[in-house]
Amino acid sequence: MSRTVTVKNVIIGEGIPKICVPIMGTTTAELKQEAEALKSLAPDLVEWRTDFFEQVEDIEEVRVALKEIRSVIQDLPLIFTFRSAKEGGQKTINADQYIALNRAAAESGLIDIIDVELFNDEADVQALIAAAHARDVFVIVSNHDFYGTPAKEEIVARLRKAQELGGDLPKIAVMPTHAGDVLTLLEATYIMKEQYADRPIITMSMAGEGIISRLAGEVFGSAVTFGAAHKVSAPGQVPVMEMRDILSLLHRNL
C-alpha cells in the first residue's frame, strides 16, 4: 500500500484526491490578487506557475513574489512550478537557469513542494531533489505529453522512473486523441498504484475527453487533481466548486 505524503496539514494519498489550484499572474500584483481570490475556494494546495511570471529570470523578484503569495495564502501548501515550453509551458530557459530557479525556491523557506520535470538531465533532477529534501521540501517529478498518450507500459515506466529518482509525488499528464487513450491512462494509473507505487502518484488525461480522469482519482489511484479558479493552466481543468461536489459524491459511494 502506498504511503502518504503530509504537507502542512494536508495528507496526500489518503481519502478524497486533494484539489490544487494554479495561480498564473504575470506580475506580483496580479499574483497577489489571484491568491486573494482563491482563498474563498478553500483549495487543498496552491501551485504557482512561474513560467507565466514576466520576471521569472530575476530570482530576487521571484523571492519578492513568493513572499507576497505566502502572506496571502498563509498555511496553504504551495507548489513552485516552472513548466517548460517543451512540456506545455509559457517560456524556455536554459538548464542552468532552471536549476538556479528551483534551488532558490527550495531554499527560500516559502514553498512546500517543487515540480521538477523528469526529462531533464538525470543528474540535474537528482541534484534538485537532494537540494529540496535538504530543506524539507517535497518534490513532484513530472512529465507532460501534450502530443498524445503513450502506451500504458510507457506511462508506468515514466512514473516508476520518477519514483526511482526520489520524487515524492511522481506525476504524468497526457493528451488523449480519442476515448481509448483515457482508458489507457486510467489503466496505467491503476497498475502503477497496485503493483509499483510506494508513494502517492498524480496522473491525468487532459482536454475534454480526459475530464473523467481528473474526477476519478480515488477509484484508480491518482492522489491530486488540478482545478480551475478563473483561468485554466491545462486543457480540461474543472472549476473547483464543481470538482469538489463530484469528488465528494464519488467518495461517499466508495
Side-chain angles (χ1 to χ4, degrees):
M1 185 170 180
S2 301
R3 72 173 189 267
T4 58
V5 168
T6 301
V7 187
K8 291 190 170 13
N9 294 320
V10 177
I11 304 174
I12 300 172
E14 177 179 280
I16 298 175
K18 302 307 178 281
I19 298 174
C20 179
V21 175
I23 56 174
M24 295 161 287
T26 60
T27 66
T28 300
E30 287 180 7
L31 287 164
K32 195 168 182 180
Q33 289 176 348
E34 286 187 50
E36 290 280 4
L38 68 77
K39 283 199 299 184
S40 64
L41 300 174
D44 300 296
L45 305 151
V46 178
E47 178 186 43
W48 179 20
R49 278 286 303 274
T50 62
D51 48 295
F52 285 86
F53 187 51
E54 290 175 348
Q55 295 177 283
V56 69
E57 293 176 52
D58 185 334
I59 287 176
E60 188 50 44
E61 289 299 326
V62 170
R63 288 194 186 98
V64 169
L66 273 174
K67 289 177 183 176
E68 293 291 342
I69 294 166
R70 177 56 73 192
S71 72
V72 174
I73 67 171
Q74 299 293 314
D75 289 332
L76 280 173
L78 179 60
I79 304 171
F80 183 93
T81 299
F82 180 91
R83 181 68 59 237
S84 66
K86 70 180 185 292
E87 297 214 7
Q90 301 298 301
K91 286 188 176 73
T92 298
I93 58 177
N94 65 42
D96 289 343
Q97 290 172 312
Y98 184 85
I99 293 167
L101 177 66
N102 280 284
R103 186 182 292 273
E107 294 174 351
S108 70
L110 296 165
I111 67 163
D112 304 286
I113 303 172
I114 61 169
D115 181 304
V116 178
E117 291 174 350
L118 174 64
F119 288 146
N120 284 299
D121 181 84
E122 186 170 311
D124 290 344
V125 174
Q126 291 176 315
L128 283 174
I129 292 171
H133 287 170
R135 296 301 182 108
D136 295 323
V137 171
F138 294 102
V139 183
I140 294 170
V141 175
S142 67
N143 172 234
H144 298 72
D145 191 332
F146 274 75
Y147 301 101
T149 299
K152 66 176 182 287
E153 295 82 5
E154 175 63 18
I155 294 173
V156 171
R158 293 181 191 180
L159 290 167
R160 291 183 69 186
K161 183 64 174 179
Q163 178 170 277
E164 289 163 7
L165 288 171
D168 303 290
L169 295 160
K171 176 188 177 187
I172 192 166
V174 297
M175 185 65 73
T177 57
H178 51 76
D181 283 345
V182 183
L183 292 175
T184 296
L185 181 278
L186 292 173
E187 185 177 5
T189 303
Y190 183 74
I191 290 170
M192 180 68 187
K193 179 179 182 292
E194 291 297 312
Q195 298 183 23
Y196 303 109
D198 61 7
R199 62 203 66 190
I201 61 172
I202 305 169
T203 71
M204 66 210 69
S205 183
M206 294 183 281
E209 284 178 314
I211 283 177
I212 188 64
S213 71
R214 297 181 181 274
L215 303 172
E218 191 172 1
V219 177
F220 293 96
S222 180
V224 176
T225 189
F226 289 74
H230 304 291
K231 180 181 177 183
V232 302
S233 64
Q237 284 180 359
V238 178
V240 171
M241 302 308 288
E242 294 177 33
M243 174 174 279
R244 183 173 287 115
D245 288 343
I246 296 169
L247 293 175
S248 297
L249 173 64
L250 288 169
H251 178 72
R252 290 195 302 270
N253 287 277
L254 291 177

